[in-house]
Amino acid sequence: MELSKERLLKMYEDMLKIRLFEERAIKLFNKGLIRGPMHVYIGQEAVAVGACANLREEDYITSTHRGHGHCIAKGGELKKMTAELLGKATGYSKGKGGSMHIADPEIGILGANGIVGGGIGIAPGAALSAKMRGTDQVAVCFFGDGATNEGIFHESLNLAAVWELPIVYLCENNKYGLTSKADEVLAVEDVADRAASYDIPSEIVDGNDVVAVYEAVKRAVERAKDSGGPTLIEAKTYRWEGHFVGDPCVYRDDCEVEEWKERCPIDRLGELLVEEGATEEELKSIREQIEQDLDEAVDFAQSSPEPEVESIFADIFVD
Amino acid sequence: MRELSVREALREAMREEMYRDENVFVMGEDITEHGGIYGVTQGLYDEFGGERIRITPISEAVIIGSALGAAMTGMRPIAELMYIDFTTVAMDQIVNQAAKMRFMSGGKVEVPLVIRTQGGGGRGSAAQHSQSLEAWFMHVPGLKVVMPSTPYDAKGLLKTAIRDDNPVLFVEHKMAYNFTGEVPEEEYLIPFGEADIKREGSDVTVIANSYMLPRALEAAEDMVKEEGLSVEVIDPLTLEPFDEETIVKSVAKTGRLVVVHEAVKRCGFGAEIAAKIMESEAFYYLDAPLERVAGMEAPVPYNEKLEMHGMPNTDKIKAAIKRSCYVK
């Protein structure tokens, strides 16, 4: 095992932070405090955390409509995220973006995105920028299986291959694009096969195994930094909740959900950590600390002011 | 003073800005050895090389997407879309992404992105290579829309666009690249949101830009000789931001307004200007219904006779001026 216990514990903490954040978000949503559609990341935590564990603050990510997990894994602040979900002036976007538009360019988060495939166009630009400025920054582009049927996916992979950009395309195949089963709308069984069209390396990884994700992305990041160009990684995973909070999920049966819950990425890492010598107390205290942080984040968000109506015209243009 | 063509003026603007700021670069289809389909980047590839005069695949969506990503992370890209008609295949990246990125992030992101493109009819390019789609982009908060006509304006506005920290759609005209005019050797910039009174007059105000500006100026000359009318011609230069004040002042003076554009009449920028005038104090000074001279509401046809029939021209502008001034 290459990863130290400390690093595994950090991954455990980040994954649990995502899980518990999303559970709070669902509660706030059900209380009517969150507007519009909200897409939660529960079940897929190992992908964001395993990938971002390879990244430095200056590395870039582009995210998706299901972006809370990516944001937390890249170092996003719980208070600002929670405040944004509640539409408050103290939120990441001053209440103008909401769940689907959280961005923090100072730590390389180039935005969640409300358009399926939206970030797939932007990520190669960040990678190009890094290359032109002569830095060794890399871009990790998160997207779902559904986005690989968008034209931009193909334009982007071709461009990144031709320009040998330092980018990792990370497909989270969670088996559904909204209500459509991936195997009914994808012409290939494995999204990874699509890399062959652009002559770039690809890899399929168990998206519920954070160590496997970490190692696959590590190889891809090293290749990117070594002027080896892009890689396509397909992480096979599953979203436990529906497409959006409140989705009745008529398109899948409960047995399938239960089967995937038995493969919980967080429990799996917890078991590994115990094998590595972590104690139940250690894991418990991590959870307690996160719960406390989330209490504070929710208090902060709820006690924060609404934006002033005049702010509607701010931030459209740089003056 | 020396004279340059619009093509040369645009090239000089990019060249100067690329020397001034190493983060400025150009990307687009066929822009390297070929120099772009209308020759605007000719010679720049030899001067700056393929890193900064960067050829792209025919992939308009990712041209704009990646230019946006580069703009968000410290670069100042000029992305060329060969025809404004091709913005249709990059609309998500322009409208949903580039235009809104700053707002959606609560002001955390800057998007110093120039999208250079060209539109308009007049050379038999037919319905998918001749459109005037600028009004679509005026409708989207977060985009600036610039549409020059003369070489002087083209250079000064493009330099301003490149230095702007916001997404700018810079719309050239395929029939205007050979227009020539005076361009000083020394550096200058033209601010956005300031219309230019191209010709002063007192009887009627004509607003025209791009390929229509010389037609409007020709019509104005003819009106002096033929009818003794004094015509004021204004080029707004930028459609967003829009200099309402200059137009309102002019209409308050003349009491008459003719708006000329090549785009189809309905929902063209003339409709917006008309509404602005009706909402302003200029309404009280109107002595005649305002006139719009615009493209006919049909796709741009291939046949020359049909194409010319559908486009505004000097005679149509003169007829509108006369109607406005109640001259038979």
Side-chain angles (χ1 to χ4, degrees):
Chain A
M1 170 73 54
E2 188 204 330
L3 286 162
S4 66
K5 185 183 143 200
E6 284 63 39
R7 291 206 69 190
L8 289 173
L9 277 170
K10 177 70 169 72
M11 289 184 182
Y12 182 84
E13 181 189 335
D14 285 350
M15 285 166 68
L16 194 59
K17 201 186 279 181
I18 295 170
R19 174 73 55 91
L20 299 178
F21 176 87
E22 296 292 44
E23 287 175 1
R24 296 282 182 119
I26 292 170
K27 276 186 196 158
L28 293 168
F29 186 94
N30 289 336
K31 279 188 194 167
L33 296 172
I34 295 175
R35 311 179 71 232
M38 186 175 77
H39 316 88
V40 297
Y41 197 68
I42 293 175
Q44 301 180 208
E45 296 91 344
V47 185
V49 172
C52 290
N54 287 286
L55 303 181
R56 302 154 300 178
E57 196 167 276
E58 62 268 31
D59 292 318
Y60 299 113
I61 65 164
T62 59
S63 173
T64 69
H65 57 287
R66 197 175 306 287
H68 304 167
H70 308 135
C71 186
I72 290 172
K74 190 69 171 63
E77 292 175 42
L78 297 178
K79 283 183 178 172
K80 287 186 185 173
M81 286 181 71
T82 311
E84 189 56 34
L85 295 187
L86 267 53
K88 297 300 184 73
T90 54
Y92 258 119
S93 307
K94 304 175 192 166
K96 291 171 177 172
S99 167
M100 288 189 284
H101 303 295
I102 292 173
D104 190 348
E106 284 177 17
I107 53 171
I109 302 171
L110 300 180
N113 211 300
I115 304 294
V116 170
I120 304 180
I122 295 165
L128 171 66
S129 166
K131 196 177 174 183
M132 290 185 78
R133 286 183 283 107
T135 75
D136 70 344
Q137 293 162 287
V138 295
V140 172
C141 175
F142 291 99
F143 52 91
D145 44 281
T148 72
N149 291 329
E150 292 279 7
I152 189 77
F153 170 78
H154 301 274
E155 290 192 17
S156 180
L157 264 69
N158 182 65
L159 185 85
V162 170
W163 286 353
E164 297 174 335
L165 297 178
I167 183 169
V168 181
Y169 291 97
L170 183 35
C171 175
E172 300 183 66
N173 186 342
N174 65 14
K175 295 174 79 77
Y176 293 90
L178 221 158
T179 71
S180 305
K181 293 181 176 66
D183 58 13
E184 288 176 4
V185 293
L186 269 164
V188 287
E189 193 181 329
D190 298 316
V191 167
D193 288 350
R194 294 190 153 169
S197 305
Y198 307 102
D199 197 22
I200 64 173
S202 68
E203 199 169 334
I204 296 174
V205 66
D206 179 349
N208 284 29
D209 178 349
V210 71
V211 176
V213 173
Y214 170 80
E215 286 172 349
V217 174
K218 186 171 197 290
R219 285 187 286 274
V221 165
E222 279 168 5
R223 185 178 299 122
K225 285 184 184 168
D226 202 26
S227 305
T231 303
L232 172 62
I233 295 171
E234 178 182 9
K236 304 275 193 189
T237 185
Y238 196 79
R239 61 166 149 82
W240 292 9
E241 299 295 319
H243 172 67
F244 47 79
V245 179
D247 177 359
C249 291
V250 292
Y251 49 88
R252 66 182 192 186
D253 63 48
D254 295 343
C255 298
E256 184 183 271
V257 181
E258 290 312 312
E259 277 171 31
W260 278 91
K261 283 187 176 175
E262 283 169 22
R263 294 150 76 175
C264 173
I266 300 174
D267 287 351
R268 208 156 140 184
L269 179 57
E271 285 160 22
L272 175 67
L273 273 164
V274 171
E275 280 173 33
E276 294 282 315
T279 63
E280 293 293 343
E281 273 65 45
E282 268 180 290
L283 302 188
K284 203 176 142 203
S285 77
I286 289 173
R287 175 181 289 266
E288 283 167 358
Q289 183 61 51
I290 296 169
E291 292 285 14
Q292 193 184 319
D293 292 345
L294 284 167
D295 286 342
E296 286 172 19
V298 172
D299 285 347
F300 171 79
Q302 289 195 303
S303 61
S304 286
E306 302 262 344
E308 299 292 334
V309 290
E310 291 77 17
S311 75
I312 193 168
F313 293 123
D315 305 318
I316 297 174
F317 290 118
V318 181
D319 295 330
Chain B
M1 199 186 292
R2 66 171 179 160
E3 293 218 334
L4 293 181
S5 66
V6 167
R7 177 185 290 110
E8 290 164 336
L10 291 166
R11 186 187 304 143
E12 193 169 87
M14 287 190 279
R15 187 173 174 276
E16 286 177 9
E17 292 305 299
M18 286 180 74
Y19 276 114
R20 191 187 59 83
D21 183 346
E22 62 179 10
N23 292 322
V24 176
F25 71 103
V26 188
M27 58 192 284
E29 298 158 9
D30 308 294
I31 63 166
T32 54
E33 293 97 330
H34 187 78
I37 205 76
Y38 286 98
V40 177
T41 57
Q42 235 157 41
L44 295 181
Y45 175 72
D46 290 337
E47 198 167 349
F48 294 99
E51 266 299 283
R52 294 180 71 196
I53 302 294
R54 180 171 279 271
I55 196 159
T56 66
I58 305 172
S59 301
E60 285 81 6
V62 85
I63 290 173
I64 302 305
S66 60
L68 167 61
M72 289 165 69
T73 55
M75 301 300 287
R76 304 187 79 86
I78 305 167
E80 180 174 316
L81 290 182
M82 194 186 286
Y83 286 80
I84 200 170
D85 313 74
F86 305 169
T87 58
T88 54
V89 282
M91 270 311 216
D92 172 52
Q93 298 296 326
I94 301 171
V95 174
N96 291 322
Q97 310 296 342
K100 298 171 174 57
M101 203 50 79
R102 181 168 178 79
F103 187 83
M104 293 188 302
S105 72
K108 292 198 167 52
V109 170
E110 287 187 8
V111 183
L113 165 65
V114 179
I115 303 171
R116 272 191 50 242
T117 188
Q118 59 78 31
R123 67 187 300 267
S125 304
Q128 297 172 336
H129 291 74
S130 303
Q131 294 172 89
S132 299
L133 301 175
E134 62 279 355
W136 286 3
F137 301 97
M138 291 167 66
H139 193 66
V140 180
L143 293 178
K144 297 188 178 182
V145 183
V146 182
M147 224 170 150
S149 180
T150 69
Y152 177 87
D153 294 341
K155 183 180 174 188
L157 289 166
L158 184 54
K159 283 171 72 87
T160 303
I162 294 167
R163 296 187 196 185
D164 199 295
D165 289 328
N166 300 288
V168 178
L169 189 79
F170 194 90
V171 187
E172 300 155 17
H173 197 291
K174 58 174 70 60
M175 299 298 286
Y177 285 123
N178 291 330
F179 285 1
T180 53
E182 291 188 338
V183 178
E185 306 261 359
E186 56 274 21
E187 168 153 286
Y188 66 95
L189 298 171
I190 298 177
F192 287 176
E194 291 185 19
D196 188 25
I197 300 171
K198 296 292 184 186
R199 179 200 166 93
E200 291 202 10
S202 53
D203 292 328
V204 55
T205 301
V206 176
I207 299 173
N209 68 355
S210 189
Y211 189 48
M212 288 299 123
L213 177 66
R215 311 245 117 45
L217 289 168
E218 190 181 23
E221 272 311 309
D222 288 356
M223 285 296 91
V224 181
K225 291 181 210 144
E226 294 167 17
E227 306 293 347
L229 291 171
S230 168
V231 183
E232 181 144 299
V233 179
I234 300 175
D235 184 339
L237 299 184
T238 60
L239 297 172
E240 171 58 45
F242 186 79
D243 180 1
E244 192 174 329
E245 193 186 334
T246 298
I247 313 287
V248 166
K249 264 190 198 160
S250 176
V251 174
K253 175 176 71 175
T254 63
R256 294 177 166 84
L257 178 63
V258 177
V259 186
V260 187
H261 59 65
E262 198 179 318
V264 292
K265 186 188 271 187
R266 74 171 166 248
C267 301
F269 70 75
E272 178 61 23
I273 293 174
K276 281 188 194 299
I277 291 297
M278 298 311 278
E279 289 167 345
S280 78
E281 62 178 61
F283 167 77
Y284 300 105
Y285 297 93
L286 283 177
D287 292 326
L290 66 86
E291 291 274 347
R292 284 184 286 161
V293 185
M296 287 186 181
E297 286 165 6
V300 178
Y302 166 67
N303 172 277
E304 188 172 10
K305 192 171 91 179
L306 286 177
E307 183 177 19
M308 294 309 152
H309 177 68
M311 282 174 76
N313 56 32
T314 306
D315 285 342
K316 290 180 189 178
I317 299 168
K318 283 160 68 175
I321 291 171
K322 286 202 265 186
R323 281 194 302 276
S324 176
C325 296
Y326 304 118
V327 174
K328 288 272 164 118

